[in-house]
Amino acid sequence: MLFICVFAFVKVNAQTKQDAPKVYKKRVLETTEVDFLTSYYSQDGDNAAVSGGIGSESLTDVTGTFVVSMPLNDDDILTIDAGISAYTSASSSNINPFDGDNADPFQASSGASNSDLWFNLTGSYTHSSDDRNDIWSTKLAISSEYDYFSVGVGGSYTKLFNQKNTEVSVHGNVYIDSWKLLYPIELRSANIEDGEDGEDKDDFNLDKATITGNANYTPSFVPLDGTARNSYSVGFGFSQILHKNVQGSLALDFVKQDGLLSTPFQRVYFSDVADSFVENFQLADDIERLPDSRFKVAVGGRLNWYLNEIVTLRTFYRYYSDDWGISSNTASIEIPVKITDKFTLYPSYRYYNQTAADYFKPSQTALSTDEYYTSDYDLSKFTANQFGFGVSYTDIFAKAHIRNFGLKSIDLKFYQYDRDTSFSSSIITAGFKFVMD
């Protein structure tokens, strides 16, 4: 009797499911999308960390990135992000400034370290629930350049509720990185035996150089211990539609780093050690020494206000602090102005200030008895302003085509960044989005 009842229940339930009307489910991504992003970046300044906080910071960088998003089915998306960056740098070229004539911290050398390529490949997978209220994602990232290699994994979960007016999210990432220990050439020549990180060891022979100032150049250099740097991050987000024209969001992020956090080729000059020079270039007393751990926390918020069909107001604020003594404030505003159905202008402004790290020492101020020191002005106290302007073109029908891909949008932006030190930079970016027919 029990078997008959169970069989009847299963049969009726199965029949009910077959008879139930099928509910239409909109695909998360209708068709394959391809983004091509490119940028040209340039900077300059007089506080190069490679030469101990003095010298040219001139650098140019050109990047190109392809991002391909492919719908695997109604609910799942696979995204491949591949990019390459090529730069030339007067600063990093002075890892070995003695491969030409008249070595000088304000002059680029012509050595191998004056340029480099950076590669990145990231794959991510995103799954959405049937009601689109739950979104899971995971990613794997690999990047490489001449002296650095990184592997990262991450994931996130987002929950929407209150008729999708409220959103909460959590995300986490782990990056396992490794350095190639590339030291300033004079420290390699003075302290490292042949066969031990002997990169460029034949390009400069300290014993044959003419040393001025303190001719008895005997740095007490100890090579760094270990080459690994690990970073762990977790973040939380909350977003709420406050009004039909207003949306706000909050974010809280934590980052923990362990391992080699010093940059091996950044020089430091001590105030209690006599200066030694070859040509016009001061020889390093040591390299940057920083703690092997760092904890960071940042909290921020956004408020977007749709004023009317023409103007939108986007604002952002973030407070940051870490256990190296740095605290900072970031505030920005962007005002998209829709001038036609297809064209929008994007004027923007960003303000930033920070305190100096406990270990920051301008050139010639660190002591040889200090445990930690750096002359990297990225860790100094400064205030910065950035002005930007952009224009975007959008055609939701993607009428213009390249083979089977329609051009959906074009974005062009320019940013000018200036610190109250000597540092300034500018970047031009361009983005093109295509959709497959």
Side-chain angles (χ1 to χ4, degrees):
M1 183 67 180
L2 177 61
F3 173 79
I4 294 174
C5 291
V6 171
F7 177 79
F9 172 79
V10 172
K11 184 176 181 180
V12 170
N13 189 55
Q15 186 65 42
T16 301
K17 289 185 176 180
Q18 291 176 3
D19 295 341
K22 292 185 178 180
V23 177
Y24 172 73
K25 181 170 59 175
K26 181 177 174 63
R27 293 168 66 92
V28 177
L29 184 65
E30 293 293 337
T31 185
T32 297
E33 295 184 351
V34 178
D35 289 273
F36 174 66
L37 311 172
T38 185
S39 67
Y40 175 80
Y41 171 85
S42 65
Q43 69 173 50
D44 206 352
D46 300 325
N47 302 114
V50 172
S51 45
I54 56 174
S56 174
E57 296 177 82
S58 176
L59 179 147
T60 60
D61 178 270
V62 178
T63 66
T65 301
F66 279 99
V67 182
V68 182
S69 300
M70 299 172 287
L72 303 178
N73 49 50
D74 288 349
D75 306 322
D76 302 317
I77 300 172
L78 176 65
T79 301
I80 304 297
D81 183 333
I84 185 172
S85 173
Y87 74 81
T88 59
S89 169
S91 175
S92 64
S93 73
N94 283 325
I95 295 173
N96 177 12
F98 308 112
D99 56 0
D101 297 328
N102 192 30
D104 189 292
F106 291 95
Q107 177 178 310
S109 73
S110 58
S113 57
N114 75 337
S115 62
D116 197 3
L117 291 175
W118 173 85
F119 301 92
N120 175 75
L121 180 64
T122 301
S124 61
Y125 168 81
T126 303
H127 172 78
S128 298
S129 62
D130 287 341
D131 60 7
R132 305 300 184 241
N133 287 330
D134 298 272
I135 304 170
W136 297 266
S137 72
T138 184
K139 72 174 182 179
L140 171 65
I142 298 174
S143 62
S144 176
E145 56 186 309
Y146 176 69
D147 61 338
Y148 204 79
F149 181 78
S150 175
V151 176
V153 295
S156 67
Y157 170 69
T158 300
K159 176 69 175 180
L160 292 88
F161 52 95
N162 188 22
Q163 298 182 328
K164 294 183 170 58
N165 289 322
T166 305
E167 177 182 311
V168 294
S169 63
V170 59
H171 61 85
N173 296 285
V174 176
Y175 287 92
I176 308 300
D177 307 339
S178 61
W179 284 92
K180 179 180 181 180
L181 297 181
L182 189 63
Y183 301 113
I185 188 65
E186 65 270 28
L187 296 179
R188 281 178 268 166
S189 180
N191 294 275
I192 299 178
E193 299 295 331
D194 288 352
E196 295 184 21
D197 274 338
E199 197 77 29
D200 298 330
K201 66 181 184 298
D202 296 327
D203 292 351
F204 176 70
N205 189 326
L206 193 62
D207 294 333
K208 297 179 181 179
T210 300
I211 301 176
T212 59
N214 175 25
N216 184 29
Y217 177 65
T218 54
S220 300
F221 173 69
V222 177
L224 293 167
D225 183 19
T227 62
R229 169 187 291 180
N230 303 328
S231 301
Y232 314 91
S233 67
V234 61
F236 305 91
F238 172 80
S239 176
Q240 177 67 48
I241 296 178
L242 304 171
H243 180 270
K244 65 178 183 179
N245 293 341
V246 181
Q247 181 188 36
S249 64
L250 297 172
L252 178 63
D253 293 283
F254 301 95
V255 178
K256 182 70 167 66
Q257 292 182 295
D258 294 306
L260 179 55
L261 305 185
S262 305
T263 303
F265 50 76
Q266 294 189 168
R267 294 174 174 87
V268 170
Y269 301 125
F270 297 138
S271 62
D272 56 345
V273 173
D275 300 341
S276 299
F277 295 85
V278 170
E279 299 173 0
N280 293 328
F281 200 95
Q282 185 174 348
L283 304 179
D285 294 324
D286 198 4
I287 61 170
E288 173 182 87
R289 305 279 179 175
L290 293 169
D292 59 5
S293 67
R294 188 178 187 183
F295 181 74
K296 311 176 185 180
V297 59
V299 58
R302 296 182 182 274
L303 188 65
N304 298 333
W305 187 6
Y306 177 81
L307 297 177
N308 52 49
E309 293 182 354
I310 297 176
V311 180
T312 302
L313 189 65
R314 299 174 181 171
T315 62
F316 170 76
Y317 172 77
R318 182 185 64 187
Y319 174 78
Y320 164 92
S321 180
D322 65 30
D323 58 359
W324 284 8
I326 292 179
S327 61
S328 71
N329 297 278
T330 305
S332 68
I333 183 171
E334 184 180 59
I335 308 175
V337 180
K338 194 174 184 64
I339 56 175
T340 72
D341 290 342
K342 294 184 177 181
F343 288 93
T344 303
L345 304 180
Y346 291 89
S348 64
Y349 170 72
R350 178 179 178 270
Y351 171 83
Y352 177 85
N353 68 13
Q354 75 171 37
T355 61
D358 297 336
Y359 320 112
F360 174 73
K361 307 287 183 180
S363 182
Q364 306 284 130
T365 61
L367 297 173
S368 59
T369 54
D370 291 338
E371 182 179 10
Y372 300 118
Y373 32 77
T374 177
S375 294
D376 185 348
Y377 271 70
D378 287 344
L379 301 178
S380 71
K381 177 182 178 181
F382 66 85
T383 297
N385 296 277
Q386 177 179 280
F387 295 89
F389 185 80
V391 59
S392 72
Y393 164 85
T394 303
D395 180 4
I396 61 174
F397 299 107
K399 294 179 180 179
H401 278 71
I402 298 179
R403 294 184 179 271
N404 295 329
F405 289 89
L407 178 60
K408 188 174 182 179
S409 66
I410 302 174
D411 290 281
L412 301 173
K413 292 186 178 180
F414 171 79
Y415 298 97
Q416 178 64 41
Y417 173 88
D418 295 286
R419 293 181 185 174
D420 58 0
T421 62
S422 63
F423 183 89
S424 65
S425 68
S426 61
I427 184 170
I428 299 173
T429 68
F432 304 85
K433 179 182 286 291
F434 297 88
V435 294
M436 180 179 285
D437 291 340

